[in-house]
Amino acid sequence: MNVEFINPFLSSMLNVMSTMAQMELVPEKPRLKKDEIAMGDVSGLIGMVSDQAKGSLSITFEGPLALATMKKMVGEAPDEVNEEITDLVGEITNMVTGGAKRLLSEKGIEFDMATPIVVSGPNHRIHHKAKGPIVIIPLKNELGKAYIEFSFDD
Amino acid sequence: MNVEFINPFLSSMLNVMSTMAQMELVPEKPRLKKDEIAMGDVSGLIGMVSDQAKGSLSITFEGPLALATMKKMVGEAPDEVNEEITDLVGEITNMVTGGAKRLLSEKGIEFDMATPIVVSGPNHRIHHKAKGPIVIIPLKNELGKAYIEFSFDD
């Protein structure tokens, strides 16, 4: 199941960043790995539930990229990750997951989304504990890196 | 909705820690606050979805308490938070949420659980982004502190 989720989540992420923040991110090749872990400064996490599967998604940003995204969107940004930034990352996580949900629904795959949780703290790591492999897609531009990761119980 | 979830989550947490690890934790009074945030070194997060509501739960441990929990359970523990510890915290999060799900089901409240995500990193902070208030229950013993937090869209 994981592989067919790649394009919907990736294209939704690129679309949200491009339309919300005029921010073009270049994706690396998606990787399927059990032992690779994204590290960053602010992450949005969301749980997904359907009759077919359960899973989790995370979008992890390096701090400078998250701050630059806010600056592009509203013209100014704080100097460090604060409540405004965690709200923005929660909103981006919701929009990316919602966009992927619509694309997957067209393929007959339906799921419900839980509410987002945002984690802040320098160099934290995200460990998805679903039973299936973890798909990681690194993305970057000149301002920094981000990672989409997701995993489902097979 | 949040308030009636307090006792099921709290009693499930105390029960899991007591039966799994012979670890007695003393809860502080639960607090309903919008601006309080748990801080710790390893957190288990899980999304919850039902027809009535969507939400998120987190269980955050100070590092020494997570390490002591593993030592109590299996007789030895690593010196720092590693994959064994994140697996354990994911498992505890699953068990606590599953226990609360059974207790709430007896009251006619049903929900589905997504899969757990574990975050590691010194002093990270958890920000629940559901629309309702956040319930925080600090717990502690002589080895350190933990926090259960949850929030639901009202």
Side-chain angles (χ1 to χ4, degrees), chain B:
Chain B
M1 160 151 311
N2 279 304
V3 172
E4 61 187 315
F5 279 59
I6 291 175
N7 279 330
F9 280 109
L10 175 57
S11 68
S12 180
M13 173 75 176
L14 296 174
N15 181 46
V16 166
M17 294 297 287
S18 168
T19 54
M20 293 263 303
Q22 291 76 51
M23 183 82 82
E24 304 303 328
L25 292 172
V26 178
E28 291 178 20
K29 199 166 154 36
R31 298 195 279 261
L32 265 177
K33 274 190 132 168
K34 266 280 185 199
D35 57 353
E36 191 174 7
I37 283 170
M39 185 191 274
D41 307 310
V42 56
S43 297
L45 316 173
I46 201 160
M48 296 168 289
V49 175
S50 77
D51 291 341
Q52 298 119 312
K54 299 167 174 210
S56 57
L57 170 97
S58 61
I59 304 176
T60 294
F61 290 89
E62 290 180 351
L65 182 58
L67 300 176
T69 302
M70 170 147 281
K71 187 146 205 291
K72 284 263 204 179
M73 281 178 63
V74 301
E76 54 188 335
D79 296 331
E80 52 182 20
V81 173
N82 67 1
E83 189 80 7
E84 279 180 306
I85 298 290
T86 65
D87 278 352
L88 175 70
V89 169
E91 205 43 58
I92 289 172
T93 306
N94 238 340
M95 284 188 293
V96 170
T97 311
K101 178 175 156 65
R102 279 189 297 278
L103 292 170
L104 285 162
S105 176
E106 291 167 10
K107 296 185 181 190
I109 299 169
E110 305 285 349
F111 63 85
D112 286 322
M113 294 157 54
T115 52
I117 310 170
V118 178
V119 177
S120 61
N123 293 324
H124 62 256
R125 289 161 179 272
I126 305 293
H127 314 255
H128 292 265
K129 298 293 184 188
K131 294 192 183 73
I134 300 162
V135 175
I136 303 188
I137 314 170
L139 307 109
K140 67 179 172 186
N141 66 13
E142 68 286 3
L143 298 164
K145 289 191 89 165
Y147 301 85
I148 306 179
E149 284 183 284
F150 56 87
S151 185
F152 287 86
D153 276 353
D154 281 332

Side-chain angles (χ1 to χ4, degrees), chain A residues 80-128:
Chain A
E80 53 181 20
V81 174
N82 66 1
E83 189 80 7
E84 279 180 306
I85 299 289
T86 66
D87 278 352
L88 175 70
V89 169
E91 204 45 56
I92 289 172
T93 306
N94 238 340
M95 283 188 294
V96 170
T97 312
K101 178 175 156 68
R102 278 189 298 279
L103 293 170
L104 285 162
S105 176
E106 291 167 10
K107 298 184 180 192
I109 299 169
E110 305 284 351
F111 63 84
D112 287 321
M113 295 156 54
T115 52
I117 311 172
V118 178
V119 177
S120 61
N123 293 324
H124 62 256
R125 288 160 179 272
I126 305 293
H127 315 254
H128 292 265

